[in-house]
Amino acid sequence: QIAAMETQAALGEAVLKTLITPQGTKKTVTVPDVVTLLNSMGTPADAAQITDMVNHFVTVRILREREDASGYELRHDSLAQHIFERMTALEKDVLEALQMVENRYKEYQVRGTLLDCAALDYVAPYLPRLGFKPQIVEFIGKSRAALTRAKRRLLIALFASLLTVLVVVSGLGILSYTKYREAERQRRNALRTQSLFLTDLAHQENERQEYGNAVLLALEALPKQMNSPEKPFVPEAEVQLYDGLVKLQERLVLDEH
C-alpha cells in the first residue's frame, strides 16, 4: 500500500511511524499529534496533507478511527511490529527522546516538575533533530535554567562549607600553636629554674671550698651544646664554673709546693 503511493511513499511511512511507541506497540494519535511529531522529527507536514493521508490509510484498512473519536490507531499489532522493524536505530532513539520529553511535559503541567540533569543530558544529542512546540521549548529552557541555578547554589554551598572547614582548621592550628608556645615557655621556665637551683648549689659548694662539686654542679646547670641549647643559658652558672675551676687550679698549685 505504501509503495503504491509513489511520491508520497516516504511521507506515508513517516506518518505510520508516528503511530507506534518506542517499544514497538501501537498507540492512538490525532492528526495534530501526527503533524507535531513529523515536524519534531524533521519531516515538514501540514494538517490538510496529513488529514488526506490518514483518511487514505483508513480507507485501505491500515488505520481505524477509535469509536470515541479520540484519534487513530493501527488496525493490527502485527502492523506496529512490522513498522517498528523498518525504523532505523536513530529514528527509534529520536522517537524515544521525543516521547520522554512530551511525557515529562505533561507531568510538568500537572505537578510542575522540571527535567532533571539526567533527562537533559539524555535528550541533548537529539535536540538539533527535534522541532518541539514552543511550549515544550520553553519547558526545556526552564529546566536548564533551574539546573544552572541548582548547580550554582551547590557550588556556593560547597565553597561555604570549605571555607568553614578552613576557618575551623586554621583556628585549631592557631590554638594548637598557641598552646605549644605556652607549653614551651613553661618548659623553658622550669629548666631555667632548675639551672638556677643547681647554680645556687654550686655557689654553696664554692663557699665550702668543695670546688670539684661546684664545678660538676655548674656544668649540670649549663647547656651541653651552645649552638643548639637544650636548656636556657644561665650566666650565673658560668660564673660559678669559672670560680670553681680557678680555685681548684690554685689548690692544685699549692699542693705541688
Side-chain angles (χ1 to χ4, degrees):
Q1 291 289 343
I2 294 176
M5 298 173 67
E6 298 179 352
T7 58
Q8 297 294 314
L11 180 59
E13 184 172 354
V15 168
L16 293 178
K17 288 176 179 178
T18 66
L19 283 101
I20 61 173
T21 68
Q23 293 74 39
T25 59
K26 65 181 183 180
K27 67 177 181 180
T28 301
V29 296
T30 63
V31 169
D33 289 337
V34 174
V35 173
T36 299
L37 285 169
L38 289 176
N39 288 325
S40 297
M41 298 177 71
T43 302
D46 60 67
Q49 183 184 27
I50 298 305
T51 298
D52 290 342
M53 189 162 289
V54 167
N55 289 334
H56 170 72
F57 283 138
V58 171
T59 301
V60 297
R61 301 183 63 79
I62 292 176
L63 301 181
R64 66 182 174 191
E65 185 175 10
R66 291 181 61 88
E67 293 180 0
D68 58 3
S70 60
Y72 300 88
E73 65 181 6
L74 293 166
R75 280 188 172 272
H76 305 288
D77 291 331
S78 59
L79 283 174
Q81 187 60 40
H82 180 68
I83 295 170
F84 183 74
E85 291 172 356
R86 291 179 60 85
M87 293 179 69
T88 66
L90 180 59
E91 285 177 327
K92 293 175 183 177
D93 290 342
V94 170
L95 182 61
E96 186 172 359
L98 182 64
Q99 182 170 321
M100 183 275 291
V101 174
E102 290 184 343
N103 290 341
R104 293 293 294 272
Y105 177 68
K106 291 177 182 177
E107 182 181 347
Y108 165 72
Q109 289 179 304
V110 176
R111 301 180 181 178
T113 306
L114 295 169
L115 294 173
D116 55 19
C117 182
L120 288 171
D121 288 343
Y122 172 71
V123 77
Y126 308 107
L127 286 178
R129 300 181 61 90
L130 299 176
F132 289 116
K133 293 179 286 187
Q135 57 267 38
I136 294 185
V137 173
E138 183 182 1
F139 166 59
I140 294 174
K142 284 183 178 180
S143 299
R144 284 176 167 171
L147 181 61
T148 299
R149 291 194 297 272
K151 287 182 177 179
R152 188 181 298 115
R153 288 194 298 269
L154 179 60
L155 287 175
I156 292 173
L158 288 175
F159 178 76
S161 298
L162 179 60
L163 185 61
T164 301
V165 171
L166 288 175
V167 169
V168 171
V169 170
S170 299
L172 292 175
I174 293 172
L175 181 61
S176 298
Y177 179 71
T178 302
K179 288 183 177 180
Y180 166 77
R181 290 292 301 272
E182 178 61 21
E184 182 64 14
R185 186 186 66 79
Q186 293 180 4
R187 186 184 73 85
R188 293 186 67 81
N189 285 343
L191 290 173
R192 178 177 175 79
T193 300
Q194 182 186 58
S195 294
L196 289 173
F197 176 71
L198 292 172
T199 299
D200 184 63
L201 292 178
H203 174 69
Q204 293 179 31
E205 291 299 307
N206 276 329
E207 290 294 321
R208 294 170 50 194
Q209 299 184 359
E210 296 291 341
Y211 304 123
N213 291 339
V215 168
L216 292 176
L217 288 167
L219 286 172
E220 186 62 28
L222 292 168
K224 300 296 186 293
Q225 296 180 348
M226 292 302 297
N227 59 341
S228 180
E230 77 282 3
K231 62 178 69 177
F233 173 73
V234 178
E236 296 89 337
E238 188 176 47
V239 171
Q240 295 303 319
L241 175 62
Y242 180 77
D243 286 349
L245 289 173
V246 170
K247 296 293 178 61
L248 191 58
Q249 186 177 13
E250 290 176 354
R251 175 177 291 177
L252 289 174
V253 171
L254 291 174
D255 290 346
E256 289 179 357
H257 291 83

